[in-house]
Amino acid sequence: MTGTWLVGGTVADGSGADPTAVDVCVEDGMITAIGRAPSGAAVVDLGGMVLTPGLIDAHVHLGLSSPVGAQFGFQLSAAELAADIFAAAGHDLDAGFTTVRDTGGIDGGVVGVIAKGKVRGPRVLSCGPVQCQTGGHGYYGAAWEPTGLWEAHHIPGLCALSLMSGNADELRRNVRESFRRGASFLKLCVTGGVVGGHDRLDDTQFTHEEIAVAVQEAQARGTYVTVHAHNNAGIRNAVRAGVRCVEHGTDIDEPTARLMREHDVALVPTFAVVEQLMDAESMGLDPATRDRVAGVRQRMATALETSRAAGLRIGLGSDLIGPNQQRRGQELRLRAELESPMRALVSATSVNADILGLGGTVGMVRVGMRADMVAWRQDPLHDPNVFADPDMAALVFKGGHIMKGQTR
């Protein structure tokens, strides 16, 4: 058999099964065999390292990789914004993330240059700009600034934070515009948020009919809608309108979790950003953001437990913003504290792949899957702090190519 065999490691395949000492063959970017390397085969010696699928972050904001206050104030050049975006993409690979779902901020040009290999980065799925209602979450223009000027700050091909809609017809036009720019799914803000401009955390945003328009447009293109949502009223409204995924889900209660299960709606909790925002002032954000985030972590942890009991598919997303996105694996460490390192790994691999529509392609170390894998210097299932330390990711493979590290 041709191909290169990764030998001498322990494989945690992303399914939740116990790790096993097996060898993995990679050929033409795919995993072609698992077992024992034949005599005389080309090998890469892992030297006892733990091999996992490449990690997947289902909630990133590459387009918000600059100092947030300065970016929201439009004080940065396109060159600086681009430099920060591409640096963040490289950091993702170095931390072991081979696929990310960008949930608002980049334009299709970023996805394209990474896919072409002109810039180091993970595989990127993007919704393009977030869809928000006029003056809702996702809009950060000054109160005195005419609403129409907000979109003038977009940088075509690079970044566009949000598109605003005042009614269903405007939303239909905006989601079609997002697809024109290369979006592969849609994201709507249906409640207020923690980093709010003109909204409150307990606001509900967009009507059932408006959300249903976005769902209709997504389904017409064979894709789905996910929603930024913290409170139960907004979540239930979106689920009944046909969305497929909920981001954050801070206050999910048992009735809401049951409704999500009935409609097969997935959940992507986001704990790392909550910790990050406790130091809002250092990020150039309004100190009131700290007040908004107070209590969110515990409520999100309770919602996670409730959602797990209801049998929801639960993915994993970091939601980090600003220039300090190097330790994206912090989300796995935080989830491991609440559940277990294995559950965190499964959420960040096979479950996230399923949520992103990539199940059967990435997210597991299995024959026939893309060779997206990470070799860890120490066992992250024994010590989840390993996930949070990019230096612990010794080798990162994306499509069979070594994106970080050297073989021996």
Side-chain angles (χ1 to χ4, degrees):
M1 179 178 290
T2 58
T4 300
W5 286 81
L6 309 182
V7 304
T10 301
V11 176
D13 68 4
S15 71
D18 290 338
T20 55
V22 293
D23 304 330
V24 178
C25 183
V26 176
E27 184 176 4
D28 294 330
M30 306 295 289
I31 298 170
T32 57
I34 297 176
R36 289 296 173 208
S39 176
V43 301
V44 171
D45 185 2
L46 298 182
M49 291 191 286
V50 175
L51 188 71
T52 70
L55 302 180
I56 301 170
D57 192 326
H59 193 122
V60 308
H61 291 290
L62 293 176
L64 295 176
S65 297
S66 301
V68 179
Q71 184 168 359
F72 285 175
F74 312 110
Q75 300 166 16
L76 304 176
S77 69
E80 185 166 358
L81 292 170
D84 291 341
I85 289 170
F86 296 134
H91 292 322
D92 287 353
L93 273 181
D94 291 339
F97 289 85
T98 53
T99 301
V100 299
R101 182 178 65 164
D102 193 286
T103 52
I106 59 172
D107 212 336
V110 174
V111 178
V113 295
I114 294 175
K116 291 175 182 176
K118 293 187 174 183
V119 177
R120 288 183 75 242
R123 187 175 298 103
V124 181
L125 285 74
S126 169
C127 69
V130 177
Q131 308 297 325
C132 67
Q133 74 175 34
T134 303
H137 186 68
Y139 173 66
Y140 298 97
W144 50 262
E145 183 180 78
T147 299
L149 292 181
W150 175 248
E151 292 178 24
H153 295 300
H154 292 184
I155 303 174
L158 184 66
C159 55
L161 181 59
S162 60
L163 290 169
M164 289 182 295
S165 304
N167 55 50
D169 287 341
E170 290 181 3
L171 181 61
R172 191 182 299 275
R173 181 193 65 221
N174 284 338
V175 300
R176 288 176 175 176
E177 171 66 11
S178 294
F179 283 126
R180 185 195 69 79
R181 297 185 191 182
S184 56
F185 67 98
L186 298 175
K187 179 189 172 189
L188 274 63
C189 292
V190 301
T191 75
V194 174
V195 183
H198 305 270
D199 58 282
R200 301 169 302 171
L201 200 60
D202 57 357
D203 286 351
T204 58
Q205 299 175 4
F206 284 126
T207 65
H208 176 280
E209 292 75 20
E210 289 168 334
I211 299 169
V213 163
V215 170
Q216 181 185 45
E217 291 294 324
Q219 290 176 342
R221 290 163 176 79
T223 188
Y224 67 95
V225 175
T226 190
V227 292
H228 158 105
H230 288 277
N231 63 62
N232 286 297
I235 294 170
R236 291 193 294 267
N237 197 28
V239 170
R240 290 177 179 130
V243 308
R244 306 307 305 157
C245 187
V246 169
E247 312 295 313
H248 315 302
T250 300
D251 290 322
I252 289 175
D253 57 16
E254 291 182 8
T256 301
R258 286 197 300 270
L259 181 68
M260 292 173 65
R261 181 67 182 87
E262 290 168 8
H263 291 263
D264 191 26
V265 175
L267 170 67
V268 177
T270 53
F271 288 92
V273 71
V274 176
E275 288 205 350
Q276 184 188 41
L277 291 175
M278 290 302 293
D279 190 16
E281 292 179 76
S282 71
M283 300 178 66
L285 294 171
D286 189 327
T289 298
R290 184 183 178 92
D291 297 331
R292 286 195 183 210
V293 82
V296 166
R297 189 185 192 282
Q298 183 54 52
R299 285 152 46 206
M300 193 177 288
T302 300
L304 172 63
E305 184 177 356
T306 299
S307 300
R308 184 71 72 185
L312 299 188
R313 288 178 298 147
I314 304 175
L316 177 145
S318 66
D319 195 21
L320 295 176
I321 58 176
N324 299 314
Q325 300 187 25
Q326 294 93 329
R327 296 173 66 87
R328 196 169 294 286
Q330 188 83 338
E331 186 69 23
L332 282 87
R333 182 189 69 79
L334 294 170
R335 282 286 292 278
E337 290 178 357
L338 296 169
E339 300 189 285
S340 71
M342 181 61 84
R343 272 199 162 165
L345 176 63
V346 171
S347 287
T349 53
S350 57
V351 176
N352 265 355
D354 181 57
I355 291 172
L356 271 58
L358 299 176
T361 303
V362 297
M364 297 184 72
V365 180
R366 288 280 174 87
V367 172
M369 307 283 266
R370 288 178 182 165
D372 288 6
M373 296 176 287
V374 184
W376 302 92
R377 299 183 191 279
Q378 297 178 20
D379 186 356
L381 300 177
H382 175 72
D383 178 9
N385 287 301
V386 171
F387 284 129
D389 185 354
D391 291 338
M392 288 291 103
L395 294 171
V396 178
F397 299 84
K398 175 187 167 189
H401 298 285
I402 299 177
M403 308 301 292
K404 177 189 178 184
Q406 295 181 339
T407 60
R408 57 174 188 251

